[in-house]
């Protein structure tokens, strides 16, 4: 039954069409149309927020009024005084500039770890789900064992063994982060494999490789994207916690978690020095959680 | 499956997971860029002394033998010697563990209660539900140290209501038999210590509990909403029960399962956050011990803390699974 679909401007159209069952597709009732508009708006919000955060992370250093490492005025200047919007720290460096640099590190670190988690986990999950049999059994048992361990605690031990540095922190968190994605991708792939269009592709003689890359992977993509976007906030907080414990870059580097930790002793006399970086992390995590929520609403089956 | 068989199987799985944890820690100790022999003897040690120390520590043996020794030592409660305190790690842990247990215990209870309240409040139909959901997203986005710093700033610095550091400010608090200061104080009949210890607990326990509480609340809300759509709920409503009675007496019981599983999983988050919180509040627990060990690269100490926290996490989750099996016949299928 081929009926022309009514035109609705929709950036996520392909993803949604993928999900839509043939029966409900062509007939758009009034309420469905308005819910489509809602998912549309959610998609634009998610895209907008994500772009805004990335632009802030890229352009942050250019926006910074001072150097993040060199003192620019009197120490402990309160916010809004002496040209320091967020105040100055214990040796007179501009908090705003340091926070802007820190946001860049936090944002791209989180995205990097998510990407590695999706890549490794996706590969393991895809292999396990598509191959089945003993390979599936072995890979998933391994995944479950890692999922059953407290990831952040394990990450602390990994960085402590490798020696504190930002790179080691990212590696450690990457190591404990992938099993979650392996589980999700494998689940998606297994449920997709039972669907008729996969059966049809198999019958038409598609190779294993093309089944995986053409049919299974695109099918699992929406679930991965939603999960990953809901996970960015978590990851920002975890990385900030490790940085707070002194597992990130060494001293003068403007890292948000470490900035809060190193200035803990100034809390009662100059609250802004440790609090401003903590608020920056809160904002980053909050906005990424909102992005994830919007994206989930946008990609929810219509 | 018989609940007992299930319990045995679940504990067997937990044991395998612990073995994997032990193997991971063993691998990490070999990846570590600090040579234990150098760390114990100091930078000025002679080559001969370092070589002798390596033999003493068994570092010259084949790697498989070393692993067996490592596991054997663990089973005998021997976690090595801390580079920093020069004490056996087991001894240090025994000293710091009770404080962490007490803090984690109250934090988990608090997280469960807060989570229940949040879940019920957001599932119920009332005007505040929307605002509450917004508050929950904020709570889930706040780094622990922001909550801790704001708490100290407000309740200690500004209002002076709560103490900011340590377990108690009363000299010579009772020690033993449980290690929980609040319980020991009751047993010793010293109620001023009990009150003081509780005051010290409020802030760190609340800060630790907020993140897990939000997660528990979200899961509970989800399962409550599903349960509220079921037929028996409609029956309960149509026989004239009030919304509150339906929600609390009929729906809650059946919706509790996922929330309890979440509590077990959140224990892991709580244990990781514990290290940060104990450092900020100078709480003398194993998290504080770990935080002090990180800057000096004291791997035996950090590995000991990781093993203990991992053990707790795995056991708590096995226990939650088994309890759920016993409590909810539907999971047995």
């Amino acid at each position: 039954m081929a009926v022309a679909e009514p035109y609705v401007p929709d950036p996520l159209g392909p993803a949604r069409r993928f999900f839509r069952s043939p029966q409900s597709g062509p007939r758009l009732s009034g309420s469905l149309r308005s819910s489509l508009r809602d998912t549309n708006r959610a998609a634009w919000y998610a895209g907008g927020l994500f772009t805004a955060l990335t632009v802030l992370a890229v352009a942050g250093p250019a926006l910074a009024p001072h150097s993040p490492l060199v003192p620019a005025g009197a120490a402990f200047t309160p916010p809004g005084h002496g040209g320091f919007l967020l105040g100055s720290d214990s040796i007179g460096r501009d908090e705003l500039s340091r926070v802007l640099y820190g946001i860049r590190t936090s944002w791209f670190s989180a995205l990097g770890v998510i990407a590695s988690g999706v890549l490794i986990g996706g590969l393991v999950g895809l292999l396990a789900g598509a191959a089945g049999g003993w390979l599936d059994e072995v890979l998933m048992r391994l995944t479950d064992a890692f999922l059953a361990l407290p990831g952040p605690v394990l990450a602390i031990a990994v960085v402590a063994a490798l020696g504190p540095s930002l790179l080691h922190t990212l590696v450690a968190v990457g190591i404990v982060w992938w099993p979650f994605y392996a589980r999700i991708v494998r689940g998606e792939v297994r449920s997709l494999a039972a669907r008729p269009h996969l059966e049809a592709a198999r019958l038409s003689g598609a190779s294993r490789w093309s089944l995986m890359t053409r049919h299974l992977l695109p099918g699992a993509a929406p679930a991965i994207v939603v999960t990953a976007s809901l996970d960015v906030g978590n990851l920002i907080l975890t990385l900030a916690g490790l940085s707070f414990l002194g597992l990130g870059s060494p001293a003068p580097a403007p890292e948000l978690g470490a900035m809060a930790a190193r200035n803990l002793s100034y809390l009662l006399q100059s609250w802004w020095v440790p609090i401003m970086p903590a608020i920056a992390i809160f904002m980053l995590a909050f906005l990424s959680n909102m992005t994830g929520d919007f994206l989930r609403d946008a990609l929810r089956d219509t | 499956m018989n609940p007992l068989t299930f319990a045995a199987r679940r504990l067997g799985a937990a044991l395998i997971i612990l073995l994997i944890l032990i193997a991971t820690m063993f691998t990490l100790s070999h990846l570590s860029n600090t040579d234990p022999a150098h760390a114990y003897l100091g930078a000025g040690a002679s080559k001969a002394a370092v070589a002798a120390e390596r033999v003493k520590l068994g570092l010259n043996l084949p790697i498989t033998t070393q692993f067996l020794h490592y596991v054997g030592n663990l089973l005998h409660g021997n976690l090595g010697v801390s580079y920093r305190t020069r004490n056996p790690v087991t001894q240090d842990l025994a000293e710091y563990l009770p404080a962490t247990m007490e803090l984690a215990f109250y934090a988990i209870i608090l997280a469960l209660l807060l989570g229940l309240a949040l879940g019920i409040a957001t599932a119920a139909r009332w005007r505040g539900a929307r605002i509450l959901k917004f508050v929950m997203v904020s709570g889930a986005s706040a780094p622990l140290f922001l909550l801790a710093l704001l708490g100290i700033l407000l309740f200690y610095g500004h209002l002076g209501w709560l103490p900011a550091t340590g377990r108690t400010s009363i000299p010579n608090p009772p020690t033993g038999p449980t290690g929980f200061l609040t319980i020991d104080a009751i047993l010793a009949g010293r109620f001023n210590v009990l009150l003081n210890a509780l005051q010290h607990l409020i802030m760190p326990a609340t800060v630790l509990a907020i993140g897990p509480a939000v997660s528990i609340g979200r899961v509970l809300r989800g399962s409550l909403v599903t349960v509220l759509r079921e037929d028996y709920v409609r029956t309960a409503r149509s026989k004239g029960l009030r919304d509150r009675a339906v929600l609390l007496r009929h729906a809650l019981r059946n919706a509790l399962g996922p929330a309890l599983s979440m509590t077990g999983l959140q224990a892991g988050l709580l244990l990781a956050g514990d290290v940060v919180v104990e450092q900020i509040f100078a709480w003398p627990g194993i998290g504080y011990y770990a935080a002090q060990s990180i800057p000096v690269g004291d791997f035996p100490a950090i590995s000991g803390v990781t093993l203990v926290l991992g053990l707790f996490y795995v056991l708590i989750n096995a226990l939650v699974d088994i309890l759920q099996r016993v409590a909810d016949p539907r999971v047995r299928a």
Side-chain angles (χ1 to χ4, degrees), chain A residues 264-279:
Chain A
L264 217 52
S265 48
Y266 306 123
L267 178 68
L268 292 179
Q269 75 249 28
S270 311
W271 58 268
W272 59 90
V273 187
I275 295 260
M276 287 304 180
I279 290 179

Side-chain angles (χ1 to χ4, degrees), chain A residues 22-36:
Chain A
Q23 292 88 339
S24 71
R27 273 166 289 158
L28 276 182
S29 68
S31 74
L32 186 58
R33 196 171 306 193
S34 83
S35 92
L36 254 186

Side-chain angles (χ1 to χ4, degrees), chain A:
Chain A
M1 189 170 75
V3 181
E5 293 189 12
Y7 176 70
V8 188
D10 181 5
L12 289 157
R16 218 188 323 283
R17 269 194 294 283
F18 186 88
F19 272 113
R20 193 181 298 149
S21 58
Q23 292 88 339
S24 71
R27 273 166 289 158
L28 276 182
S29 68
S31 74
L32 186 58
R33 196 171 306 193
S34 83
S35 92
L36 254 186
R37 248 198 312 277
D38 280 351
T39 61
N40 239 333
R41 200 179 302 146
W44 282 112
Y45 284 159
L49 266 179
F50 183 83
T51 315
L53 281 171
T54 308
V55 167
L56 180 67
V58 172
L63 297 173
H66 298 282
S67 153
L69 301 177
V70 182
F76 298 124
T77 314
H81 292 77
F84 296 123
L85 197 59
L86 301 185
S88 72
D89 71 1
S90 58
I91 58 168
R93 289 175 298 200
D94 179 30
E95 280 280 299
L96 176 64
S97 306
R98 287 178 69 72
V99 164
L100 283 171
Y101 274 85
I103 285 176
R104 165 187 265 191
T105 313
S106 279
W107 182 244
F108 287 117
S109 302
L111 290 190
V113 174
I114 288 278
S116 84
V118 167
L119 212 69
I120 303 172
L123 206 66
V124 171
L126 189 63
L127 264 179
W134 65 268
L135 191 62
D136 183 25
E137 188 77 6
V138 170
L139 286 176
M140 282 302 114
R141 282 291 149 95
L142 195 72
T143 304
D144 284 347
F146 272 101
L147 276 178
L149 290 170
V153 177
L154 212 56
I156 293 176
V158 175
V159 192
L162 296 177
S165 82
L166 182 60
L167 182 68
H168 289 165
T169 302
L170 297 185
V171 169
V173 180
I175 290 174
V176 299
W177 224 259
W178 67 265
F180 180 55
Y181 288 95
R183 258 265 154 253
I184 286 164
V185 172
R186 190 245 179 207
E188 283 290 310
V189 165
R190 292 304 281 183
S191 79
L192 277 172
R195 295 261 201 99
H197 70 277
L198 254 287
E199 190 69 24
R202 219 174 286 134
L203 285 175
S204 74
S207 70
R208 212 166 241 225
W209 176 249
S210 93
L211 269 183
M212 278 209 286
T213 53
R214 288 272 190 82
H215 299 276
L216 293 175
L217 208 53
I224 302 174
V225 169
V226 170
T227 314
S229 68
L230 284 168
D231 208 21
V232 175
N234 262 335
L235 202 49
I236 289 174
L237 294 181
T238 304
L239 290 170
L242 294 177
S243 163
F244 186 90
L245 290 172
L247 293 167
S249 304
E255 231 176 69
L256 296 174
M259 282 167 68
R262 292 197 190 106
N263 296 306
L264 217 52
S265 48
Y266 306 123
L267 178 68
L268 292 179
Q269 75 249 28
S270 311
W271 58 268
W272 59 90
V273 187
I275 295 260
M276 287 304 180
I279 290 179
I281 292 174
F282 167 70
M283 274 174 44
L284 265 184
F286 184 79
L287 293 177
S288 2
N289 282 336
M290 298 292 283
T291 310
D293 279 348
F294 283 133
L295 203 61
R296 184 185 50 195
D297 290 346
L299 285 177
R300 189 177 286 160
D301 299 9
T302 46

